[in-house]
Amino acid sequence: MGQAKPFAGQRLSVLMVGHPTTDAVRKALPDFTAATGIDVDLEVVPEADSVPKMMLEFSAGSGRYDVVEANSIHVKGFVGADYIVPLDELAAKYGEFYDKTDFVPGYLTPNVVDGKLYGSRCLAKVRS
């Protein structure tokens, strides 16, 4: 991007389930913040609690989360309810940070609905 901390002052609210992947994300957050300037508020819940929590927040239109980790089986329903937004424009705009070949096709494919990318490794941008 050519500048230090291009998103300085930005904050993301992220909901994830307790999982080794989440542990890796948590460990990488200081480096992510140092590189981007983005502070991340990470909330971790048990998997059994994640969908009810998302549905409550989504249906209330709370705007509490910017990004959620959801099992890909829920993506199509979240798209149909207009709870999440496609990531195609962001992937194109920040292409230096997104390489489709970095993702296992079996994880990526269920996150494509009507030709639009809604998540990668089950992370989705919440409609704001």
Side-chain angles (χ1 to χ4, degrees):
M1 300 211 57
Q3 67 185 43
K5 298 187 181 189
F7 304 102
Q10 298 291 318
R11 182 171 293 279
L12 290 174
S13 179
V14 178
L15 176 67
M16 295 183 78
V17 299
H19 187 273
T21 301
T22 305
D23 296 340
V25 167
R26 187 186 326 245
K27 186 175 179 182
L29 284 178
D31 292 336
F32 176 79
T33 299
T36 65
I38 298 171
D39 288 311
V40 177
D41 295 324
L42 179 62
E43 182 177 349
V44 180
V45 298
E47 188 165 6
D49 297 342
S50 66
V51 173
K53 188 170 191 69
M54 280 184 259
M55 293 305 296
L56 178 64
E57 298 298 333
F58 290 166
S59 63
S62 73
R64 180 173 179 183
Y65 300 109
D66 299 302
V67 177
V68 296
E69 177 183 30
N71 189 307
S72 58
I73 64 171
H74 300 292
V75 170
K76 198 171 232 181
F78 288 167
V79 170
D82 204 28
Y83 291 152
I84 60 176
V85 297
L87 299 173
D88 302 288
E89 286 182 30
L90 290 171
K93 184 175 181 179
Y94 300 108
E96 69 268 29
F97 299 112
Y98 174 75
D99 182 351
K100 185 177 178 178
T101 63
D102 287 341
F103 298 91
V104 175
Y107 284 133
L108 194 61
T109 302
N111 294 288
V112 175
V113 178
D114 297 330
K116 295 180 183 176
L117 175 66
Y118 285 89
S120 53
R121 197 359 204 113
C122 302
L123 288 173
K125 169 118 177 43
V126 177
R127 179 166 300 286
S128 50

